[in-house]
Amino acid sequence: MNFIGILIGLSTFLTIGVFHPIVIKAEYYFGRRSWWAFLVGGLAALAASLLISNEYISIILGVVGFSSLWGILEVFQQHKRVQRGWFPMNPKRVHEYED
């Protein structure tokens, strides 16, 4: 039996699950400017996936890289969700939600 598909699927599921709270916390503490961290992390993971010879680790790094890049969009969406009152606003950054 070949369990690689299940392991890659599980790692993808866990990666997406981990990025959800990371995006929420990043937007809360750093605001929309946190998108740079997701860009740098995503590009670094994608570059590493090209250089790693182990194909399974390379696949997982690719998933992490694209999840991080997707996190850029989610940071901006999270900002809108906070403006709508769906998530708590950081009281130290109230001025950022006035636009």
Side-chain angles (χ1 to χ4, degrees):
M1 280 195 222
N2 188 353
F3 289 102
I4 274 307
I6 292 173
L7 292 175
I8 296 297
L10 178 63
S11 67
T12 302
F13 177 74
L14 293 174
T15 300
I16 293 169
V18 165
F19 268 90
H20 179 69
I22 289 173
V23 166
I24 292 169
K25 294 293 184 187
E27 197 285 327
Y28 184 84
Y29 289 110
F30 304 109
R32 289 177 285 186
R33 69 180 184 263
S34 64
W35 75 270
W36 282 98
F38 290 100
L39 176 65
V40 171
L43 293 177
L46 291 175
S49 76
L50 292 173
L51 301 174
I52 300 290
S53 61
N54 184 312
E55 61 186 32
Y56 306 119
I57 295 174
S58 176
I59 291 168
I60 292 170
L61 283 171
V63 168
V64 168
F66 278 103
S67 294
S68 184
L69 294 178
W70 184 263
I72 295 170
L73 174 66
E74 285 299 315
V75 165
F76 290 97
Q77 293 295 329
Q78 180 66 17
H79 181 80
K80 291 178 184 177
R81 290 188 283 265
V82 170
Q83 284 179 321
R84 292 180 186 134
W86 298 353
F87 284 86
M89 184 182 300
N90 187 336
K92 295 178 182 177
R93 295 186 309 98
V94 172
H95 63 280
E96 293 182 25
Y97 296 101
E98 295 172 354
D99 52 42

